[in-house]
Amino acid sequence: MLSNSIVNLPKVDARFAPDSAVEATLLTCKNLGMRRALCVGTPHGSRRYADTWQGLEPVAAADFHEALPHCPIDTVEACRETFIKYRCDGVIAIGGGSTIGLGKILSAEEAAVFVALPTTYSGSETTSIFGRKIDGQKRTAIDEKCRPDCIVYDARLSMDLPRLISITSAMNSIAHAVEALYPKVQNPLAATFALEALRAHKRGFDTLENGDELSARQDLLYGGFLGGLAIGMSGIALHHQLCHVIGGLFDLPHAETNSAILPHAIAYNRGFIPDADDEIKHVFGGSDSAQTIFDFASKHGAPMSLSDIGMPETGIERVVNGMLAHAGYNPRPLDEAALRDLVTHAYEGIRP
């Protein structure tokens, strides 16, 4: 019998369509009534996925291949203007969190029909969280209307994804899953999704090491999908709050920031999340959950230092002050000295 728990089921329509992204997307657009799509991506993605974009021309009305990390407000408004100018009724986004973030904004604020084709493993496409960068701050919102009307997963779209992006975007999803293990209000279904997400990511990287690229990337997309569902059902804590503060202040890449922060956020919460600690150790091995996650990420080539990804040492106090000013839920209350140690250790990249 459940007590003091919440069970909520987000409305998510996902199609796992290996090697059939174009066909699945065209059929989805037809079923959703989308006739004039704004095709959203990055400059690099316009070339990397050129064949897929060409296959989607029957429903394309305009292109916007200028997505940037953290969705700066100028980029958001330029994308919105293109959507309106070409009388688009929907959005097709191919790429990672930056691209899908623009689709979320148009879905929530312009009632756009939204089809997402994720090519990284963060799982942001399944969450109801979206945001934009304004005046040096990442401002986020939660709105169920931002979710894609359909998500199409085709592992072949991420076959040539660089190993660095593979591990760092997966670390973002692992962070989703970890924080879903200690929510403000217990959510047993989210916890189940979170554990399966952790297993899928562990299995995916083990398989990648063994050379089975396609199977590995199918697992990593699946892990991203589940991790996004889990965090969307349970809400974020200290780790993601910190990542948003750091991203807004210094424009650091979100995925790499996750890799550097997560082991230290887990260490900060030691003693307050015993069940989560045990689950993490059970999946990844080791005797200390924070060290286990640090070792997993560093083994697969993730940057473990905020310094290495561009944060200045003088930024440590700015991060601490920004976090204290925007603190939300966390199982361990915020302590300024301990928080400063967390940020300093992540800046230096030392093993917790």
Side-chain angles (χ1 to χ4, degrees):
M1 182 175 180
L2 300 178
S3 61
N4 297 320
S5 299
I6 289 178
V7 177
N8 50 35
L9 292 171
K11 183 181 181 299
V12 176
D13 183 356
R15 313 292 168 88
F16 289 84
D19 206 22
S20 57
V22 171
E23 294 85 350
T25 303
L26 289 175
L27 179 59
T28 296
C29 291
K30 179 180 178 181
N31 292 339
L32 292 171
M34 189 196 303
R35 294 180 175 84
R36 297 184 59 81
L38 177 63
C39 297
V40 175
T42 63
H44 184 66
S46 69
R47 299 184 295 273
R48 176 180 285 173
Y49 311 117
D51 290 345
T52 303
W53 286 125
Q54 185 176 7
L56 296 175
E57 285 181 356
V59 294
D63 298 330
F64 187 85
H65 294 299
E66 301 174 34
L68 293 172
H70 305 296
C71 297
I73 186 62
D74 290 346
T75 302
V76 169
E77 294 310 317
C79 185
R80 191 195 310 273
E81 289 172 11
T82 304
F83 180 85
I84 295 170
K85 176 181 177 180
Y86 289 94
R87 305 188 308 281
C88 298
D89 59 4
V91 179
I92 300 173
I94 303 180
S98 302
T99 297
I100 289 170
L102 291 177
K104 285 183 166 187
I105 290 170
L106 292 178
S107 180
E109 298 175 4
E110 300 295 335
V113 178
F114 180 21
V115 177
L117 285 76
T119 61
T120 64
Y121 311 125
S122 71
S124 66
E125 66 278 359
T126 60
T127 76
S128 58
I129 304 167
F130 66 104
R132 70 209 79 192
K133 185 178 177 181
I134 303 174
D135 296 332
Q137 291 186 345
K138 182 72 176 287
R139 302 185 185 180
T140 59
I142 298 176
D143 189 337
E144 290 295 325
K145 292 185 293 185
C146 81
R147 293 185 197 269
D149 294 280
C150 185
I151 308 166
V152 177
Y153 292 101
D154 183 348
R156 292 193 183 276
L157 290 177
S158 67
M159 286 290 284
D160 63 347
L161 192 69
R163 190 61 64 94
L164 176 63
I165 300 176
S166 297
I167 181 59
T168 55
S169 65
M171 285 301 295
N172 191 356
S173 175
I174 288 170
H176 287 158
V178 166
E179 289 207 312
L181 293 174
Y182 46 84
K184 186 174 183 179
V185 180
Q186 291 302 308
N187 187 321
L189 188 56
T192 300
F193 286 166
L195 285 173
E196 182 57 22
L198 294 178
R199 295 187 193 105
H201 285 304
K202 174 69 164 57
R203 185 171 62 244
F205 277 98
D206 287 346
T207 305
L208 202 59
E209 290 289 300
N210 293 330
D212 189 348
E213 192 91 8
L214 182 59
S215 294
R217 295 190 183 280
Q218 287 172 337
D219 273 331
L220 293 171
L221 282 172
Y222 181 55
F225 167 73
L226 290 173
L229 284 178
I231 197 69
M233 295 166 67
S234 55
I236 65 174
L238 171 64
H239 168 82
H240 276 91
Q241 295 163 19
L242 258 178
C243 289
H244 288 311
V245 168
I246 292 168
L249 285 173
F250 306 109
D251 207 27
L252 301 187
H254 185 65
E256 285 88 333
T257 304
N258 272 270
S259 300
I261 289 290
L262 182 59
H264 303 285
I266 295 172
Y268 179 93
N269 284 319
R270 277 193 187 110
F272 291 79
I273 52 170
D275 292 341
D277 275 335
D278 289 342
E279 298 288 8
I280 294 166
K281 289 183 289 187
H282 181 72
V283 173
F284 290 95
S287 58
D288 181 278
S289 58
Q291 293 176 358
T292 291
I293 291 296
F294 183 95
D295 293 344
F296 174 81
S298 58
K299 172 187 174 181
H300 293 291
M304 305 309 298
S305 163
L306 293 174
S307 173
D308 288 345
I309 61 174
M311 191 179 109
E313 186 172 6
T314 55
I316 292 173
E317 284 304 314
R318 294 176 65 191
V319 172
V320 172
N321 292 334
M323 188 63 214
L324 292 172
H326 298 91
Y329 162 75
N330 190 61
R332 176 186 175 183
L334 288 193
D335 173 85
E336 183 174 349
L339 181 60
R340 184 174 292 105
D341 287 343
L342 185 167
V343 178
T344 300
H345 294 162
Y347 173 81
E348 295 172 347
I350 63 174
R351 188 171 184 256

